């Protein structure tokens, strides 16, 4: 199954994807996670995108499209994928259509105030990238990842000004993809407001599994 997770920042795309990989058996490909790994490794890509990501703006289409195109040639993506955070613009969606045929788009339906609450309380593991929340998804030990024991930190783009910028960018550049994929007949809305287990159940219902 070739799937896109579409939704505003902090909608819970990464959290659901971590569960959905076992449900549908395809890899989770997050462009944001790939960029953050490049930043941590101080690679040329990381150095190029760090300031853009920290400020909440989008990386240019050319760089992002090439990255995804290359990633989808890897063996694990042959049977399908969950693309999380890509496409994010109409040109990215048009480019994707030239090298892969998406079968379904899950649109995370969630209001802005819930997004702000989720992002401002998010903590991420420096080691494995797992997501936590100070209220909704607490680690067993404060500040420490349950999965790998890594240190939890607050993403630079989860600071107040960057959250507002990301929401603006989402409305202007990414939200038009909802109509784009709805008119293609492959978009399914999922209510992303409830707690994680209920969102997983909504996803399963949407997928018919
Ligand atoms: P990216 O990493 O893709 O960020 P995003 O889309 O803004 O999404 P997030 O990771 O912030 O949120 P999420 O929806 O995954 O929510 P999560 O599950 O963590 O991109 C980062 C940056 O990279 C972009 O701003 C851009 O600069 C660049 N970039 C990436 N892709 C690009 C592209 N295609 N083109 C150009 N630039 C690109 O959940 C959030 C919090 O809520 C967590 O704390 C979690 O524990 C909690 N939570 C999740 N679900 C629930 C729930 N159901 N109930 C309660 N709490 C919940």
């Amino acid at each position: 199954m070739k799937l896109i997770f579409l939704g505003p920042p902090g909608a819970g795309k990464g959290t659901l994807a971590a569960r959905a990989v076992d449900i549908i058996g395809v890899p989770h490909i997050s462009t944001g996670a790939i960029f953050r790994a490049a930043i941590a490794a101080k690679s040329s890509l990381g150095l190029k995108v760090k300031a853009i990501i920290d400020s909440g703006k989008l990386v240019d289409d050319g760089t992002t499209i090439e990255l995804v195109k290359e990633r989808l040639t890897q063996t694990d993506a042959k049977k399908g994928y969950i693309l999380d955070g890509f496409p994010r613009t109409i040109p990215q969606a048009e480019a994707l259509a030239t090298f892969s045929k998406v079968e379904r788009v899950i649109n995370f339906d969630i209001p802005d105030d819930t997004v702000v609450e989720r992002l401002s309380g998010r903590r991420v593991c420096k080691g494995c990238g797992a997501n936590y929340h100070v209220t909704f998804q607490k680690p067993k030990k404060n500040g420490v990842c349950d999965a790998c024991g890594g240190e939890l930190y607050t993403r630079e783009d989860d600071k107040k000004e960057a959250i507002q910028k990301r929401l603006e960018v989402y409305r202007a550049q990414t939200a038009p993809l909802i109509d784009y994929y709805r008119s293609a007949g492959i978009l399914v809305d999922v209510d992303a407001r409830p707690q994680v287990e209920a969102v997983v159940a909504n996803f399963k219902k949407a997928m018919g599994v």
Side-chain angles (χ1 to χ4, degrees):
M1 174 61 76
K2 294 175 177 164
L3 265 184
I4 288 173
F5 278 8
L6 178 64
K13 303 181 295 295
T15 301
L16 178 62
R19 298 285 299 277
V21 289
D22 292 329
I23 298 169
I24 53 173
V26 295
H28 170 208
I29 300 173
S30 157
T31 40
I34 296 171
F35 288 136
R36 281 186 291 281
I39 292 169
K42 297 189 166 61
S43 68
S44 57
L45 173 66
L47 295 173
K48 177 174 160 185
V49 302
K50 184 177 185 320
I52 301 171
I53 291 184
D54 286 353
S55 69
K57 295 181 190 150
L58 293 185
V59 175
D60 67 279
D61 284 340
T63 302
T64 313
I65 291 164
E66 277 315 303
L67 183 108
V68 173
K69 193 173 181 182
E70 195 284 324
R71 178 64 185 84
L72 294 191
T73 63
Q74 293 177 21
T75 316
D76 65 337
K78 294 292 174 208
K79 59 184 173 183
Y81 49 73
I82 297 169
L83 274 181
D84 163 10
F86 182 93
R88 244 181 167 96
T89 63
I90 296 283
Q92 290 182 14
E94 289 171 345
L96 176 63
T98 67
F99 57 83
S100 192
K101 187 168 168 39
V102 172
E103 292 162 88
R104 201 163 302 176
V105 178
I106 302 294
N107 179 43
F108 285 62
D109 202 1
I110 192 159
D112 282 3
D113 54 348
T114 309
V115 157
V116 172
E117 191 181 26
R118 287 187 184 176
L119 289 179
S120 45
R122 173 165 56 187
R123 299 292 179 270
V124 182
C125 175
K126 272 189 181 165
C128 67
N131 284 318
Y132 295 88
H133 192 282
V134 291
T135 310
F136 308 126
Q137 266 194 296
K138 294 181 183 177
K140 291 190 185 103
K141 190 173 167 199
N142 201 16
V144 179
C145 177
D146 295 345
C148 75
E151 184 192 338
L152 305 186
Y153 76 105
T154 302
R155 275 170 46 175
E156 203 56 42
D157 61 348
D158 281 348
K159 298 194 172 148
K160 204 174 165 197
E161 305 72 44
I163 291 176
Q164 289 310 324
K165 182 71 199 170
R166 287 160 72 200
L167 280 169
E168 274 169 35
V169 167
Y170 169 77
R171 279 186 217 107
Q173 299 193 58
T174 307
L177 290 171
I178 298 173
D179 283 344
Y180 177 89
Y181 284 120
R182 203 185 297 284
S183 62
I186 57 170
L187 184 128
V188 186
D189 295 302
V190 164
D191 182 1
R193 290 169 301 174
Q195 288 297 298
V196 177
E197 290 310 320
V199 177
V200 171
N202 292 343
F203 169 73
K204 285 182 169 173
K205 199 170 159 200
M207 295 296 293
V209 293

